[in-house]
């Protein structure tokens, strides 16, 4: 197909999934050939996006972040040389899986490990792990425990769930870990495990942690990194004058992602971290679809300073630029100017608040409003383009 429009948005959090955004934009464009290609950057919504591109959804019951059972899904597809499973941490261990109030000290990533184990036992050889929306700050140890890693206190007892318990960690035994698969972490978070920019300091307050809780969780993660050096053969952290300093794995960009699940994946699963949006675009075949297109429409719920740091719209724009295809964006709202957008490779952004100032109505009526925005995009970017290519009489 040539002369088509590629619609490659992320979700509008709280309103529409990425496939729903793509469908409403397509409807608003009218009689225009389109390829709907919902995308994600590894956070919540990743499974929905890859299922829309041809992966198969699998559901199973796992342990939720508060310890109660939840039904979670992942996506699988056979690729050349591998059976790939895309697992989204938020599906099993996300804030939206909490049955009530946050439990920042005891929340666990165990369900994510159970999803990985289920996929591997059903033939997956490559796990793509999307991080984002986590309810836990446990350094990924719940995930590791579900895969056979034992974390023991000084008396040889298995640690209970959550990041607070890590303060009592004495020994790590990974001899019984499930093996036979590779793990790729899709994440654009570059925080280390520890310190003022680490998992506890930056993200735990978003999960309900008080300042006192943050201190407890930081101490637990520091203990995890230190024990990893002595009993697990890792360069996770070192202690000098009573202060644990991040080194090696703990200091790597991305180790602090999802409450330290990035560290857990690197440490216990020998994972490789790749930029989330770039890897997911490869996975859904973006390059194949954008070649020959005349426009790409991307977007997400809010286009703001975080967007400019490499989230979905900017990643899509960078990928489209390789083929010289212009990019516009749709969003619920935006807080960045035209010049900043153009510098990021986005010609224009159209917000729901442009047509409906009431934010509550934008949330409730996002689909119809998106169709109105898409009609504006068609008039501004497609009709003119068509007229420019019409032969003169």
């Amino acid at each position: 197909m040539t002369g088509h429009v590629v619609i490659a948005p992320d979700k509008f959090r709280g309103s529409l999934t990425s496939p729903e955004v793509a469908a409403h934009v397509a409807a608003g464009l009218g009689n225009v050939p389109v390829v709907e290609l919902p995308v994600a950057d590894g956070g919540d919504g990743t499974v929905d996006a890859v299922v829309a591109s041809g992966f198969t959804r699998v559901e199973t019951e796992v342990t939720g972040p508060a310890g109660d059972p939840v039904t979670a899904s992942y996506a699988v597809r056979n690729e050349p040389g591998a059976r790939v499973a895309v697992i989204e941490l938020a599906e099993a261990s996300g804030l939206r899986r909490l049955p009530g109030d946050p439990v920042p000290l005891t929340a666990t990533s165990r369900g994510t490990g159970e999803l990985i184990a289920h996929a591997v036992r059903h033939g997956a050889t490559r796990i793509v792990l999307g991080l984002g929306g986590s309810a836990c700050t446990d350094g990924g140890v719940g995930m590791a425990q579900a895969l056979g890693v034992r974390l023991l206190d000084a008396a040889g007892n298995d640690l209970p769930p959550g990041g607070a318990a890590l303060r009592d960690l004495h020994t790590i035994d990974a001899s019984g870990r499930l093996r036979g698969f590779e793990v790729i972490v899709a994440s654009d978070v570059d925080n280390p495990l520890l310190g003022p920019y680490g998992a506890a300091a930056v993200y735990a307050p978003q999960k309900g942690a008080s300042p006192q809780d943050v201190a407890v969780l930081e101490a637990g993660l520091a203990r995890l990194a230190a024990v990893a050096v002595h009993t697990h053969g890792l360069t996770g952290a070192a202690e000098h004058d009573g202060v644990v300093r991040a080194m090696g794995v703990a200091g790597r960009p991305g180790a602090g992602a999802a409450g330290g699940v990035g560290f857990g994946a690197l440490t216990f699963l020998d994972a490789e971290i790749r930029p989330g949006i770039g890897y997911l675009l490869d996975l859904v075949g973006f390059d194949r679809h954008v070649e020959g297109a005349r426009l790409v429409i991307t977007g997400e719920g809010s286009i703001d300073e975080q967007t400019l740091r490499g989230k979905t719209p900017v990643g899509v724009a960078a990928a489209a630029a390789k083929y010289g295809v212009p990019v516009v964006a749709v969003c619920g709202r935006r807080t960045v100017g035209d010049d900043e957008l153009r510098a990021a490779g986005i010609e224009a952004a159209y917000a729901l608040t442009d047509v409906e100032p009431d934010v509550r109505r934008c949330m409730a009526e996002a689909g119809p409003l998106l169709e109105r925005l898409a009609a504006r995009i068609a008039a501004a970017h497609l009709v003119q383009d068509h007229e420019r290519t019409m032969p003169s009489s």
Side-chain angles (χ1 to χ4, degrees):
M1 184 188 297
T2 58
H4 59 287
V5 175
V6 175
I7 307 172
D10 206 333
K11 65 190 173 300
F12 280 27
R13 190 187 303 274
S15 296
L16 300 170
T17 65
S18 55
E20 290 170 340
V21 173
H24 282 293
V25 171
L29 290 178
N31 190 26
V32 174
V34 301
V35 172
E36 296 177 37
L37 196 68
V39 294
D41 59 7
D44 49 329
T46 296
V47 168
D48 286 339
V50 298
V51 166
S53 75
F55 279 69
T56 300
R57 188 185 299 272
V58 177
E59 289 191 345
T60 186
E61 188 175 276
V62 297
T63 303
D68 54 313
V70 300
T71 299
S73 63
Y74 62 92
V76 294
R77 186 170 72 185
N78 290 324
E79 301 279 342
R83 181 166 173 81
V84 178
V86 177
I87 292 175
E88 174 188 319
L89 177 136
E91 267 289 306
S93 312
L95 284 167
R96 62 189 176 90
R97 292 300 192 185
L98 289 170
D101 293 333
V103 285
L105 298 180
T106 58
T108 177
S109 59
R110 185 177 190 90
T112 299
E114 291 169 348
L115 284 180
I116 293 172
H118 189 276
V120 171
R121 288 170 181 145
H122 287 79
T125 56
R126 179 181 303 145
I127 303 296
V128 178
L129 179 59
L131 302 184
S134 165
C136 55
T137 310
D138 72 346
V141 299
M143 173 184 69
Q145 288 170 316
L147 294 168
V149 177
R150 298 188 68 195
L151 293 100
L152 309 172
D153 63 18
N157 300 311
D158 290 288
L159 292 185
L166 290 171
R167 293 174 298 171
D168 297 324
L169 179 63
H170 183 263
T171 304
I172 299 169
D173 178 5
S175 61
R177 175 173 83 78
L178 184 65
R179 299 180 186 275
F181 59 96
E182 64 173 318
V183 177
I184 295 167
V185 172
S187 174
D188 291 309
V189 171
D190 58 5
N191 302 71
L193 180 67
L194 304 172
Y197 303 104
V202 174
Y203 297 112
Q206 301 172 12
K207 306 166 190 180
S210 67
Q212 294 78 16
D213 293 338
V214 170
V216 168
L217 293 167
E218 178 76 7
L221 294 174
R223 180 64 182 167
L224 170 64
V227 172
V229 174
H230 299 294
T231 69
H232 199 53
L234 299 169
T235 311
E239 188 168 322
H240 178 67
D241 296 333
V243 178
V244 175
R245 304 184 185 280
M247 297 174 63
V249 176
R252 282 185 58 180
V261 172
F263 174 83
L266 290 165
T267 300
F268 302 116
L269 306 182
D270 302 317
E272 175 186 354
I273 294 182
R274 296 190 189 175
I277 182 58
Y279 187 77
L280 268 298
L281 287 175
D282 287 344
L283 204 60
V284 300
F286 180 82
D287 284 5
R288 182 175 73 254
H289 293 295
V290 76
E291 190 168 8
R294 56 173 165 158
L295 182 70
V296 171
I297 302 174
T298 186
E300 62 181 351
S302 177
I303 291 184
D304 50 29
E305 291 296 330
Q306 288 294 314
T307 303
L308 301 179
R309 295 182 63 184
K311 294 185 74 176
T312 294
V314 171
V316 169
K322 294 184 294 184
Y323 295 89
V325 180
V327 176
V328 300
V330 292
C331 58
R333 66 183 184 97
R334 70 157 169 153
T335 58
V336 295
D338 292 342
D339 290 344
E340 293 169 292
L341 287 172
R342 282 191 287 268
I346 299 171
E347 287 194 357
Y350 295 79
L352 300 185
T353 52
D354 295 339
V355 295
E356 175 49 69
D358 187 332
V359 174
R360 287 173 299 181
R361 288 193 64 184
C362 286
M363 295 283 288
E365 302 172 19
L369 291 172
L370 264 177
E371 293 180 22
R372 289 171 60 185
L373 285 184
R376 290 188 177 188
I377 291 171
H381 298 272
L382 299 177
V383 173
Q384 292 177 9
D385 179 64
H386 177 70
E387 289 173 349
R388 282 196 301 268
T389 58
M390 288 285 288
S392 57
S393 57

